[in-house]
């Protein structure tokens, strides 16, 4: 679970169109979140508040071995109204650290009309240790980050206890460069990251031929490339200790894009005259295309190789029960819940020592149960309802050249399909509302309004993470959830090797967080 | 905004200069001066940083929405 100040920083990046993922520093973020996730230490309570439109504050009181705390303040020059939410309305998804969908949020100079900045400070008690940060955007693609720490009680030592680190970052749509300097041992660093969009062939995208599709949908299409390969490296050199450092990493990630898959895989179903028909006619078997992330990192100096793999899947679970047996209309209640499962693994190997290690992990997410009431008439009407007469039978999967029957994990519902394609559907409906008025549009709007009504209900409310290290025989378990307006995070780290007394608990804790 | 410029253009470079100069071969008197300068700047930044952050956000707020001091400083929602 990210901290409150990290949440505000993410809001700041979102409002100023800066991509948090587009840097070499975060290229291994997905396996890091799934395998090396943080566990709260001890018991802590965090209360956060938005004091003014540009002021944010947070207080943390924790009991580990003794009572400790911290007080942090943040101010920005940007109004974050569009992205900031209190915990009463903030979904757990926004603060969970898990599988990351790589999307592009690069500003092209048309969204930032000033040079925004963000200032942050945090002081710890009773140590009075202070940390601060300045983020200053000079141009839409350049920003400077200054981070510093200071420990006043160690000032009597000969070595300075103030450390400044400067990051000059540059981002473009397909690359990012970081120049780093730290006053600690005069450390110089350079990071670069390049993205290569695989299967990026707009000429084969049939929507381009349609005059009904707005430019917005094309933008979404390009922002959600199904396959992206990222390559990067980092170079370090410490003048103080005369020691270099280097690492190279690559990441291959896919993004579920059913519309692209649809248009490429089923050209016979697609119709230029009615794209909605083609979209809504394929609610089956699309779920077999799961987002996945594969990374490979090398450190030549240390001789370590590590590869990670992560895959995410979502599924709906629906139960039917008679809710009101005394009712003569025989109303049925259906409870539907969304569950997400993320699996990840990491293999490490050292070419010098021949040591190897395997870490496996999983994350299980669940949304709250939503009740869906339908009477018999509506159910029969729903059953007979088809989208413009196109049969939604599973025989569509037989026509898919890229999907084998053995790969079809489950059959998704129309609701899930509608939600997974909500962006595309919204865009298509916007473009069609201007040009088409009729029953088809009304039906589409009805489906969209139903989706909007139920969108909040699909937010995840609990998350369970488990990871295990095969060689070291360590296991980490973390549970995060939302209880009323409070975010609760708990976890435990266990050494399974154990002694005679059995497994040994290395770390455990519970954390409560409230955002006003 | 002026305070931000002061912080960016004066205090931080002063600190960096002090850190850099501390590693050079200087006379004892110059070393002592830089040491005093550095410790003073360090103390100013250490205890002035949080008020500086709060002031910048507060100054950006319009006059009609400026809260009282307790509401400005308190991270608790009821204040």
């Amino acid at each position: 679970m990210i901290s409150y100040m990290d949440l505000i920083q993410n809001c700041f990046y979102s409002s100023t169109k800066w991509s948090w993922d587009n840097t070499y520093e975060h290229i291994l973020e997905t396996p890091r979140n799934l395998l090396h996730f943080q566990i709260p230490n001890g018991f802590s309570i965090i209360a956060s508040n938005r004091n003014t439109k540009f002021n944010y504050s947070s207080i943390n009181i924790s009991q580990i071995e003794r009572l400790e705390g911290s007080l942090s303040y943040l101010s920005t020059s940007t109004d974050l109204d569009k992205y900031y939410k209190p915990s009463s309305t903030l979904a757990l998804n926004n603060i969970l650290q898990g599988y990351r969908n790589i999307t592009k949020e690069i500003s092209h100079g048309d969204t930032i009309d000033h040079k925004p900045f963000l200032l942050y400070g945090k002081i710890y008690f009773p140590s009075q240790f202070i940390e601060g940060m300045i983020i200053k955007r000079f141009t839409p693609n350049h920003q400077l980050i200054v981070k510093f720490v200071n420990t006043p009680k160690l000032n009597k030592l000969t070595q300075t206890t103030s450390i400044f680190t400067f990051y000059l970052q540059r981002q473009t749509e397909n690359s990012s460069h970081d120049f780093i300097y730290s006053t600690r041992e005069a450390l110089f660093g350079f990071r670069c990251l390049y993205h290569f969009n695989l299967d990026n062939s707009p000429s084969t995208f049939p929507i381009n031929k349609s005059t009904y599709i707005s430019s917005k949908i094309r933008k979404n299409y390009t922002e959600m490339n199904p396959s992206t390969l990222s390559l990067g490296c980092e170079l370090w050199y410490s003048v103080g200790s005369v020691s270099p450092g280097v690492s190279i990493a690559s990441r291959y990630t896919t993004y579920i894009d059913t519309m692209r898959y649809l248009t490429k895989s089923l050209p016979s179903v697609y119709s230029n005259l009615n794209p909605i028909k083609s979209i809504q006619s394929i609610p089956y078997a699309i779920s077999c295309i799961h987002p996945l992330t594969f990374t490979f990192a090398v450190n030549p100096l240390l001789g370590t190789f590590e590869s990670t793999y992560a895959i995410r899947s979502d599924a709906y679970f629906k139960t039917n029960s008679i809710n009101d047996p005394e009712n003569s209309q025989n109303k049925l209640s259906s409870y539907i819940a969304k569950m997400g499962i993320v699996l990840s693994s990491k293999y490490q190997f050292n070419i010098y020592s021949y040591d190897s290690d395997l870490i496996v992990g999983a994350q299980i997410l669940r949304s709250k149960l939503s009740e869906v009431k339908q009477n018999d008439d509506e159910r029969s009407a729903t059953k007979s309802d088809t989208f413009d007469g196109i049969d939604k039978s599973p025989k569509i999967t037989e026509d898919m050249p890229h999907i084998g029957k053995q790969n079809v994990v489950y059959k998704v519902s129309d609701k899930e399909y509608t939600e997974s394609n909500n962006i595309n559907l919204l865009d298509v409906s916007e473009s069609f509302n201007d040009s088409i008025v009729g029953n088809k549009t009304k039906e589409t709007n009805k489906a969209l309004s139903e989706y909007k009504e139920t969108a909040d209900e699909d937010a995840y409310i609990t998350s369970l993470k488990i990871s295990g290290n095969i060689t070291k025989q360590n296991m980490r378990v973390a549970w995060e959830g939302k209880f009323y307006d409070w975010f609760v995070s708990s976890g435990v780290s266990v050494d399974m090797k154990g002694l005679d007394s059995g497994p040994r608990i290395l770390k455990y804790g519970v954390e409560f967080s409230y955002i006003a | 905004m002026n305070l931000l410029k002061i912080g960016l253009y004066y205090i931080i470079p002063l600190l960096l200069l002090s850190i850099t100069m501390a590693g050079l071969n200087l006379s004892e008197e110059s070393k002592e001066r830089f040491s005093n300068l550095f410790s003073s700047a360090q103390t100013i930044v250490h205890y002035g940083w949080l008020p500086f952050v709060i002031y910048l956000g507060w100054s950006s707020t319009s006059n009609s929405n400026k809260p009282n001091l307790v509401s400005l400083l308190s991270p608790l929602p009821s204040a």
Side-chain angles (χ1 to χ4, degrees):
Chain A
M1 188 178 292
I2 63 173
S3 67
Y4 176 72
M5 293 304 171
D6 288 333
L7 177 68
I8 303 300
Q9 187 181 348
N10 289 342
C11 293
F12 176 76
Y13 281 162
S14 298
S15 66
T16 56
K17 304 296 180 187
W18 185 268
S19 177
W20 188 85
D21 289 296
N22 188 12
T23 174
Y24 184 83
E25 183 183 1
H26 301 137
I27 191 171
L28 302 176
E29 197 65 18
T30 293
R32 194 178 298 149
N33 291 340
L34 297 171
L35 301 174
H36 305 284
F37 47 85
Q38 292 182 347
I39 292 175
N41 196 9
F43 177 82
S44 59
I45 296 178
I46 302 170
S48 309
N49 188 19
R50 189 184 190 189
N51 303 95
T52 69
K53 216 172 184 179
F54 306 101
N55 276 91
Y56 304 85
S57 60
S58 178
I59 186 170
N60 178 15
I61 299 174
S62 59
Q63 172 72 38
I64 302 172
E65 294 177 351
R66 58 179 181 172
L67 194 63
E68 295 179 345
S70 66
L71 185 63
S72 50
Y73 289 94
L74 186 148
S75 68
T76 70
S77 64
T78 308
D79 187 3
L80 306 179
D81 270 340
K82 189 178 176 183
Y83 300 94
Y84 183 86
K85 289 180 181 177
S87 56
S88 57
T89 57
L90 183 67
L92 185 68
N93 313 31
N94 296 329
I95 61 170
L96 278 180
Q97 292 176 304
Y99 187 93
R100 295 196 64 83
N101 287 322
I102 309 299
T103 56
K104 295 179 179 177
E105 285 186 76
I106 299 296
S107 65
H108 303 283
D110 55 345
T111 56
I112 298 175
D113 53 353
H114 63 290
K115 297 176 180 177
F117 67 85
L118 180 147
L119 276 81
Y120 159 77
K122 185 175 188 178
I123 187 166
Y124 293 85
F125 296 106
S127 65
Q128 296 186 24
F129 176 88
I130 193 170
E131 62 183 26
M133 182 176 68
I134 303 170
I135 300 177
K136 177 68 178 176
R137 186 78 55 80
F138 295 106
T139 69
N141 296 328
H142 293 80
Q143 76 174 12
L144 174 70
I145 300 178
V146 181
K147 294 179 181 178
F148 67 90
V149 294
N150 188 35
T151 308
K153 287 197 172 180
L154 300 178
N155 281 345
K156 293 178 181 176
L157 298 179
T158 54
Q159 191 175 1
T160 176
T161 54
S162 297
I163 301 172
F164 280 79
T165 308
F166 298 83
Y167 302 80
L168 181 60
Q169 298 182 324
R170 174 181 174 270
Q171 283 193 355
T172 62
E173 190 174 357
N174 294 317
S175 67
S176 77
H177 300 87
D178 297 352
F179 300 91
I180 304 153
Y181 171 71
S182 175
T183 58
R184 183 178 175 83
E185 296 184 343
L187 182 68
F188 290 90
F190 171 72
R191 297 184 187 132
C192 64
L193 183 67
Y194 294 91
H195 307 287
F196 304 95
N197 298 326
L198 306 180
D199 194 19
N200 189 10
S201 53
S203 60
T204 61
F205 191 43
I207 281 180
N208 285 340
K209 300 173 184 177
S210 172
T211 56
Y212 295 114
I213 305 302
S214 64
S215 60
K216 190 177 178 181
I217 193 171
R218 292 196 186 94
K219 185 182 176 184
N220 286 330
Y221 165 75
T222 56
E223 287 178 350
M224 296 181 182
N225 293 290
S227 301
T228 303
L229 177 66
S230 303
L231 293 173
C233 69
E234 63 178 353
L235 305 170
W236 296 94
Y237 183 73
S238 172
V239 177
S241 61
V242 198
S243 59
V246 62
S247 75
I248 304 166
S250 65
R251 178 186 61 199
Y252 172 78
T253 182
T254 63
Y255 193 95
I256 187 164
D257 190 342
T258 54
M259 187 172 182
R260 167 189 272 257
Y261 183 87
L262 199 63
T263 52
K264 295 194 70 173
S265 303
L266 297 170
S268 60
V269 178
Y270 178 77
S271 169
N272 279 337
L273 297 177
N274 194 347
I276 289 181
K277 181 189 290 184
S278 68
I279 293 169
Q280 295 183 341
S281 63
I282 318 290
Y284 299 95
I286 296 301
S287 60
C288 66
I289 314 167
H290 296 294
L292 62 89
T293 298
F294 174 79
T295 65
F296 184 73
V298 181
N299 190 323
L301 297 179
L302 299 177
T304 57
F305 294 80
E306 64 176 47
S307 62
T308 67
Y309 181 78
I311 187 168
R312 183 172 68 89
S313 176
D314 294 330
Y316 272 92
F317 291 90
K318 188 176 181 182
T319 58
N320 296 324
S321 61
I322 299 175
N323 189 33
D324 191 4
E326 296 179 356
N327 195 331
S328 59
Q329 294 180 355
N330 191 23
K331 287 186 178 178
L332 294 178
S333 293
S334 299
Y335 292 93
I336 189 168
K338 189 178 180 182
M339 179 168 279
I341 300 172
V342 187
L343 301 174
S344 180
S345 65
K346 177 181 179 180
Y347 178 73
Q348 284 179 314
F349 178 72
N350 191 294
I351 199 171
Y352 299 135
S353 64
Y354 295 104
D355 288 337
S356 62
D357 197 5
L358 178 66
I359 306 172
V360 294
Q363 183 184 21
I364 301 171
L365 302 138
R366 189 181 70 81
S367 69
K368 66 180 179 182
L369 289 171
S370 302
E371 185 180 1
V372 181
K373 287 185 178 179
Q374 288 181 323
N375 56 30
D376 290 338
D377 295 336
E378 290 174 347
R379 288 168 63 85
S380 60
T382 306
K383 284 181 180 177
S384 61
D385 185 24
T386 57
F387 294 102
D388 304 326
I390 288 183
D391 189 10
K392 297 182 289 184
S393 63
K395 70 180 183 181
I396 292 174
T397 61
E398 299 175 3
D399 301 332
M400 291 185 173
H402 294 78
I403 301 177
K405 288 181 181 177
Q406 68 277 7
N407 293 330
V408 179
V409 179
Y410 62 92
K411 176 182 170 183
V412 299
S413 63
D414 294 339
K415 185 170 180 289
E416 177 184 355
Y417 179 74
T418 305
E419 291 165 358
S420 63
N421 290 279
N422 60 83
I423 296 174
N424 292 333
L425 279 173
L426 287 170
D427 291 331
V428 172
S429 69
E430 284 178 7
S431 62
F432 269 72
N433 282 337
D434 298 335
S435 57
I436 297 175
V437 177
N439 293 329
K440 297 176 184 176
T441 308
K442 290 178 180 176
E443 290 174 1
T444 307
N445 290 337
K446 183 182 178 183
L448 290 172
S449 62
E450 289 175 354
Y451 162 72
K452 290 174 182 177
E453 289 175 2
T454 59
D456 292 338
E457 297 175 0
D458 293 322
Y460 293 120
I461 56 170
T462 63
S463 162
L464 178 66
K465 290 181 187 176
I466 301 173
S467 76
N469 192 318
I470 303 298
T471 306
K472 297 179 181 175
Q473 296 186 13
N474 290 341
M475 193 176 76
R476 299 163 71 88
V477 180
W479 181 89
E480 292 157 320
K482 190 174 182 183
F483 185 73
Y484 291 98
D485 292 346
W486 288 81
F487 291 109
V488 184
S489 175
S490 62
V492 62
S493 174
V494 182
D495 182 9
M496 300 301 289
K497 277 182 185 174
L499 303 173
D500 295 337
S501 59
R504 186 163 55 100
I505 295 176
L506 301 175
K507 185 181 179 183
Y508 65 96
V510 184
E511 181 182 290
F512 297 89
S513 177
Y514 181 83
I515 301 173
Chain B
M1 197 59 197
N2 291 329
L3 282 177
L4 176 64
K5 288 181 180 177
I6 291 171
L8 282 178
Y9 298 145
Y10 295 100
I11 295 178
I12 292 175
L14 188 64
L15 276 174
L16 291 176
L17 182 67
S18 303
I19 294 169
T20 308
M21 297 297 283
L24 299 178
N25 291 325
L26 299 172
S27 63
E28 291 298 325
E29 186 181 358
S30 301
K31 278 185 180 179
E32 189 176 349
R33 283 181 184 174
F34 278 116
S35 177
N36 292 335
L37 190 65
F38 174 73
S39 60
S40 301
Q42 196 178 31
T43 306
I44 291 170
V45 171
H46 187 89
Y47 294 105
W49 179 249
L50 286 183
F52 176 63
V53 171
I54 296 167
Y55 171 75
L56 274 185
W58 179 79
S59 63
S60 302
T61 310
S62 61
N63 289 328
S64 59
N65 294 325
K66 280 183 179 174
N68 57 39
L69 189 62
V70 177
S71 299
L72 180 66
L73 299 179
S74 172
L76 301 177
S78 58

